[in-house]
Amino acid sequence: MGELKLSENAKEVLNARYLRRNDKQEIMESPEELFAAVARAVAHAELLLGNARQAAFWEERYLQLLTSFEFLPNSPTLMNAGKPLGQLSGCFVLPVEDSIEAIFQAIGDMALVQRSGGGTGMSFSRLRPKDDFIATTSGMASGPVSFMEIFDCATEHVKQGGRRRGANMGVLRVDHPDVMEFIEAKKGDHRLRNFNLSVGVTDRFMKAVQRSRSYELIHPRTGQVTARVDAAKVFGRIAAAAWETGDPGLLFLDAINRTNPTPNMGRIEATNPCGEIPLLPFESCNLGSINLARMVTRGREEGRIDWEKLRSTTRDAMRFLDDVIEVGKYPVPAIEKATRATRKTGLGVMGFAETLVRLGIAYDSKEAIETADEIMRTVSEEALSVSRELARERGVFPSWRGSVCEKSQQPVRNATRTAVAPTGTISIIADTSAAIEPFFALAYRRSHVLEDKTMTETNPLLLEFLERYDLQAERIMAEVTEKGRLSEVKDIPEGLKRLFPTALEISPEHHLQIQAAFQKHVDNSVSKTVNLPQNADVEEVKQVYWRAWELGLKGVTVFRYGSKSRQVLSLGAGEKPYEYDHASKCDQGECEV
């Protein structure tokens, strides 16, 4: 294996986050050695379940998969495979029950998960509301939000894998008596900084909004109705808080549970921090992403997707993820038991925006939606096929009896197989666009990824295409670096401009249509941000949330540019936030193409 070709930002991320260090914090391994260690550690599952010849074959195949950047697993696998910690899963959901003992047990479990590199999701819906009488102490309950602040404080002081601060998803049902305090918990930008927040909404609530009716708030311990409130007003307050702070998002609990593969084991109440993995209490899931840009034939003409390569990569990646479950170490015994019971994986994609450019397809077009549908359908079908083969080879997941899979007479190794994760740092390593997002900008600043360091990024794909069109690359890139987008640069062919729209230039409806196209073929969920310009109003946020429910999505996140003081991505060097008239982008729900 020769030296890997890495971008400068990829080298920086690997050095800061992934490469092994000694007690003097000196780097002790190369990127090549890192990937070799990961391939060897994961292929050890083949030895445990097969034989040495099988293990050697898959070690070589996994190494090729990783070093070609055709596929990368989630960060904990890259950080910990082949190392003493050995915790390889990225996503966890922990239960938070209504007792002081259970709450602090959950805090301890969360710390162990985050120390090992995992992110945690928790529903606080079982906690009694604020000012509720506590018989054992004759005192009054402080409510879910106050306890969330303790979780937040603990997270603040536990770096994931010793290399990054932890992340949480906090969920509260919309019918919890403290829902209004939860909705507005992040106002002022100083509370719950290590949490993403999502309100767990039901179809019943959304229909009450639609019909301008009230709905009931339910005491979680007694099941008694504590109040009736106007659904539309609560919905409006959710949208207003999201407009101001970026939180909360929405989790559509009924949509999630309609595809729960093991309803006999309970209802799903929470997801991982970015929302793409709904899990039962104590379950974990390991993620991985196929680099779609590596599935495209390249040349001076428009590329095409190599569908056989995509299928082959999916097959190898799916086996890799099942092997990860086998060799991973787990921070809490209950997590190992629950994870092995369902063997959930989350195979997804990254590089979608780059892929569209190489195919000559505009992101904000009907053809992009059709391409998303075809790509994810292919990945999903092949992942299911592999899981069936693994079931024949290794056995079905232990909780298969009583599951939806048994009822449909479908022997599979993994209760879920696919998800679309945000791929924040692994897409930097692979030098491609993040997940299924459009380009945020063509030049931008990335903050709060490597502690307080800011990374400046320009789009190398744009430079490649400027040279292909024989344009003045140096002048144009200078303007793009200032403005962050191509649409305002003079003397650019319209066809080229159409290939490089940025997130704030794409209508909210189209963002949702792309998410829906992927979600249609995903077992778990899809992490996707609907970006809004700074001049968007609360009504536009409400419309996004409403359309997400209509489209059958499992969750939705809205981010209005500038609504968070610590936002990760900022536009180019000297530009003003982009503003546009949303109404001109969509007509009767059909996006401009």
Side-chain angles (χ1 to χ4, degrees):
M1 178 177 60
E3 184 177 349
L4 292 175
K5 184 179 179 181
L6 297 164
S7 71
E8 289 305 311
N9 280 337
K11 292 175 184 176
E12 200 163 342
V13 167
L14 284 166
N15 289 343
R17 286 273 183 87
Y18 298 94
L19 301 182
R20 185 166 52 88
R21 294 172 180 266
N22 62 19
D23 58 0
K24 296 179 182 179
Q25 290 300 294
E26 298 167 331
I27 293 174
M28 298 283 289
E29 69 180 345
S30 67
E32 293 80 8
E33 290 169 330
L34 168 73
F35 290 123
V38 172
R40 188 179 311 114
V42 175
H44 185 67
E46 301 291 335
L47 181 62
L48 297 175
L49 299 170
N51 54 55
R53 184 177 180 181
Q54 197 170 312
F57 172 85
W58 283 106
E59 179 182 341
E60 183 178 347
R61 180 67 191 112
Y62 290 161
L63 182 59
Q64 193 279 328
L65 199 64
L66 300 174
T67 55
S68 65
F69 303 117
E70 293 170 358
F71 163 83
L72 287 176
N74 54 208
S75 288
T77 300
L78 290 178
M79 289 176 177
N80 300 329
K83 298 179 174 67
L85 191 61
Q87 195 293 103
L88 309 182
S89 297
C91 308
F92 298 76
V93 162
L94 298 173
V96 183
E97 300 295 339
D98 188 42
S99 73
I100 201 72
E101 295 85 357
I103 290 168
F104 279 88
Q105 180 65 53
I107 292 171
D109 291 346
M110 178 198 74
L112 292 174
V113 168
Q114 292 180 356
R115 181 188 67 174
S116 67
T120 45
M122 292 155 285
S123 172
F124 293 87
S125 302
R126 296 177 183 271
L127 299 189
R128 67 191 72 192
K130 190 175 183 179
D131 296 331
D132 195 51
F133 179 71
I134 303 173
T136 54
T137 62
S138 299
M140 307 297 281
S142 56
V145 174
S146 68
F147 280 111
M148 289 177 67
E149 291 181 321
I150 302 174
F151 282 80
D152 187 64
C153 184
T155 297
E156 187 74 22
H157 298 285
V158 179
K159 279 192 175 182
Q160 290 185 320
R163 309 184 201 194
R164 56 177 180 166
R165 186 168 294 152
N168 299 303
M169 170 67 83
V171 180
L172 198 73
R173 285 181 61 96
V174 74
D175 54 12
H176 191 284
D178 286 1
V179 67
M180 291 311 306
E181 183 184 7
F182 177 84
I183 288 168
E184 299 181 347
K186 281 201 172 185
K187 285 192 172 182
D189 200 35
H190 64 279
R191 300 172 76 191
L192 305 179
R193 288 194 172 189
N194 301 296
F195 269 94
N196 292 328
L197 302 182
S198 283
V199 178
V201 300
T202 61
D203 289 346
R204 185 176 182 180
F205 168 77
M206 295 299 287
K207 289 174 183 176
V209 175
Q210 188 178 42
R211 297 165 184 168
S212 300
R213 292 180 179 175
S214 63
Y215 75 104
E216 298 171 340
L217 300 182
I218 307 294
H219 193 294
R221 188 168 57 85
T222 67
Q224 299 297 309
V225 176
T226 64
R228 292 193 67 90
V229 292
D230 187 317
K233 286 184 178 179
V234 173
F235 187 69
R237 294 281 284 276
I238 293 170
W243 179 90
E244 183 176 336
T245 70
D247 282 288
L250 296 185
L251 288 183
F252 299 110
L253 296 177
D254 292 321
I256 287 171
N257 280 286
R258 276 192 286 272
T259 59
N260 178 2
T262 55
N264 54 312
M265 298 174 66
R267 286 182 63 82
I268 294 173
E269 300 177 1
T271 74
N272 70 314
C274 293
E276 73 273 15
I277 303 291
L279 295 170
L280 293 167
F282 288 119
E283 282 188 318
S284 72
C285 184
N286 53 296
L287 310 176
S289 299
I290 294 168
N291 183 354
L292 294 175
R294 299 279 176 165
M295 305 296 116
V296 177
T297 59
R298 300 187 185 185
R300 286 198 59 86
E301 302 303 320
E302 291 177 357
R304 61 176 181 81
I305 294 176
D306 184 337
W307 293 104
E308 185 50 45
K309 184 177 182 181
L310 178 58
R311 292 186 184 95
S312 174
T313 304
T314 299
R315 296 182 69 81
D316 292 345
M318 189 64 205
R319 190 178 187 102
F320 181 104
L321 294 179
D322 189 66
D323 282 352
V324 167
I325 297 170
E326 204 62 35
V327 299
K329 297 178 183 178
Y330 298 88
V332 177
I335 291 174
E336 179 169 11
K337 181 180 178 181
T339 301
R340 289 183 177 274
T342 54
R343 303 189 67 88
K344 291 180 177 178
T345 65
L347 177 61
V349 297
M350 58 181 165
F352 180 62
E354 179 181 347
T355 296
L356 291 177
V357 171
R358 295 197 178 280
L359 296 175
I361 298 171
Y363 190 101
D364 54 346
S365 69
K366 184 178 180 181
E367 192 176 358
I369 297 170
E370 293 169 349
T371 303
D373 182 281
E374 190 173 7
I375 285 172
M376 203 63 218
R377 183 176 66 250
T378 301
V379 171
S380 180
E381 289 173 353
E382 206 64 37
L384 177 59
S385 175
V386 173
S387 194
R388 286 172 175 162
E389 290 176 12
L390 288 170
R392 289 193 292 271
E393 179 184 336
R394 300 173 172 180
V396 295
F397 64 90
S399 294
W400 185 80
R401 295 289 179 193
S403 71
V404 170
C405 303
E406 186 200 21
K407 292 176 182 176
S408 63
Q409 298 183 325
Q410 182 165 257
V412 289
R413 178 71 168 166
N414 315 94
T416 65
R417 296 153 298 279
T418 52
V420 177
T423 73
T425 52
I426 64 170
S427 60
I428 299 175
I429 296 171
D431 197 23
T432 191
S433 56
I436 61 169
E437 302 289 356
F439 301 118
F440 179 77
L442 302 179
Y444 54 85
R445 301 181 299 276
R446 187 187 294 267
S447 307
H448 313 298
V449 174
L450 303 180
E451 283 68 49
D452 296 324
K453 187 174 181 60
T454 297
M455 302 170 68
T456 300
E457 299 185 27
T458 55
N459 192 309
L461 187 61
L462 175 59
L463 180 60
E464 177 187 327
F465 271 65
L466 291 175
E467 292 172 349
R468 181 182 297 186
Y469 277 74
D470 295 322
L471 297 173
Q472 297 174 319
E474 186 174 343
R475 174 189 68 82
I476 293 168
M477 288 304 291
E479 288 192 52
V480 167
T481 300
E482 180 183 348
K483 296 181 169 65
R485 54 190 175 270
L486 197 61
S487 58
E488 294 183 0
V489 179
K490 295 179 180 179
D491 303 322
I492 301 293
E494 192 60 33
L496 185 58
K497 285 186 179 182
R498 289 285 294 131
L499 288 182
F500 288 92
T502 57
L504 293 172
E505 297 174 283
I506 294 167
S507 72
E509 175 69 17
H510 195 83
H511 278 285
L512 292 170
Q513 292 284 356
I514 291 288
Q515 183 175 346
F518 278 96
Q519 181 64 76
K520 185 163 55 171
H521 304 291
V522 163
D523 304 317
N524 289 295
S525 192
V526 175
S527 177
K528 172 83 178 73
T529 300
V530 178
N531 297 93
L532 297 178
Q534 201 157 23
N535 70 330
D537 59 28
V538 174
E539 286 301 314
E540 290 173 272
V541 178
K542 288 166 69 174
Q543 181 61 22
V544 169
Y545 283 170
W546 190 259
R547 282 291 291 147
W549 178 64
E550 289 181 330
L551 288 168
L553 301 182
K554 295 182 179 180
V556 62
T557 300
V558 170
F559 177 66
R560 182 179 64 88
Y561 186 84
S563 61
K564 288 188 179 181
S565 63
R566 296 181 77 249
Q567 70 184 52
V568 173
L569 298 179
S570 303
L571 297 174
E575 83 298 349
K576 295 179 181 178
Y578 191 72
E579 298 181 351
Y580 66 81
D581 176 8
H582 290 289
S584 68
K585 280 286 188 179
C586 291
D587 179 25
Q588 303 297 322
E590 292 294 323
C591 287
E592 182 179 84
V593 297

